[in-house]
Amino acid sequence: MFEVEKKYRIKNLTSFIENCKKNKIVFLEKYIEIDKIFVNSEIKDFNFKKGTAVTRIRKVEGKDNFITLKRKLSDVNSLELETKIEDIAVMEKILYELGLHELVTVHKTRQKSQLENINICLDNVDKIGWFVELEILINNKKNVLEAQQKIDNLAAQLELYKDNIETRKYDVLVFEKNDR
């Protein structure tokens, strides 16, 4: 499974919500996520090359918890393998035993919606602010350009512009904020 995604920094939340309403996008689902990011113990920051595996343990309020391995393939897509986990503490111990260490923790409140096959996530991320992610999951890399076009079309309808695009992941933004 491949993820095609664009993230936009929300400069005016009220205006963004109004644009969502105009496009019949309603955020019904709201919950808290805590992501712990694990990497090889030799890695001390996010200055690593594309193709490096990053493991995330996601604790979701009132829902299942997951472990995800991500390998960034380009600026807009990545390989993602994910499965449910029952015991977060045991999984963290396994990762430590495998030589990984926790690089950063990200706390966010997420509100979700969907329009056709586009997942829309409105996120309030502790320390760094409001963002929206537009995402399509595809099975075949051949569909990347088509997915990107769908995302760009929705972004235009929501008045999300290129100068609002944020290419860094939340974990990187929080890590940089913590590092100051």
Side-chain angles (χ1 to χ4, degrees):
M1 184 79 47
F2 296 92
E3 175 184 73
V4 180
E5 160 186 287
K6 284 193 181 174
K7 177 177 29 241
Y8 298 83
R9 187 175 291 273
I10 302 296
K11 294 181 179 176
N12 184 326
L13 184 60
T14 304
S15 177
F16 174 74
I17 296 295
E18 285 301 317
N19 288 330
C20 287
K21 288 178 183 175
K22 289 177 191 173
N23 286 279
K24 297 182 178 22
I25 296 169
V26 179
F27 295 95
L28 299 174
E29 190 177 6
K30 182 177 180 178
Y31 50 89
I32 295 171
E33 290 182 352
I34 300 171
D35 292 345
K36 290 186 177 184
I37 307 303
F38 292 84
V39 293
N40 182 297
S41 61
E42 297 168 3
I43 297 172
K44 303 299 180 203
D45 57 29
F46 282 94
N47 291 323
F48 46 79
K49 63 184 176 183
K50 287 179 182 150
T52 300
V54 176
T55 304
R56 174 186 71 204
I57 292 180
R58 174 169 283 169
K59 181 179 181 180
V60 184
E61 174 187 53
K63 296 184 174 206
D64 293 324
N65 302 310
F66 291 90
I67 185 166
T68 307
L69 178 116
K70 287 191 174 191
R71 189 177 306 276
K72 188 173 183 174
L73 303 175
S74 73
D75 287 336
V76 293
N77 64 61
S78 60
L79 172 66
E80 186 170 315
L81 304 170
E82 183 171 80
T83 191
K84 291 181 191 178
I85 56 174
E86 295 296 321
D87 190 323
I88 288 177
V90 169
M91 185 55 68
E92 286 179 3
K93 287 179 185 174
I94 290 170
L95 295 178
Y96 287 123
E97 288 296 320
L98 289 170
L100 303 181
H101 75 105
E102 183 181 338
L103 189 59
V104 69
T105 299
V106 177
H107 296 261
K108 69 182 168 214
T109 301
R110 171 163 278 185
Q111 298 176 62
K112 286 184 89 172
S113 187
Q114 189 168 11
L115 188 65
E116 298 174 13
N117 66 334
I118 303 174
N119 296 315
I120 305 161
C121 299
L122 177 61
D123 295 329
N124 185 6
V125 184
D126 286 3
K127 301 180 184 177
I128 59 172
W130 287 93
F131 298 83
V132 64
E133 291 184 357
L134 306 178
E135 162 191 285
I136 298 175
L137 296 176
I138 58 174
N139 292 319
N140 190 328
K141 281 192 206 179
K142 293 177 184 175
N143 299 332
V144 168
L145 292 176
E146 178 185 336
Q148 288 173 339
Q149 187 60 51
K150 284 183 178 182
I151 287 171
D152 289 343
N153 291 344
L154 179 58
Q157 291 172 344
L158 296 175
E159 298 181 21
L160 298 169
Y161 303 109
K162 289 182 181 183
D163 64 331
N164 297 80
I165 292 175
E166 179 55 70
T167 57
R168 295 168 293 174
K169 299 281 186 188
Y170 295 139
D171 49 16
V172 174
L173 293 167
V174 172
F175 181 83
E176 289 172 353
K177 187 78 167 181
N178 289 342
D179 203 35
R180 290 183 191 159

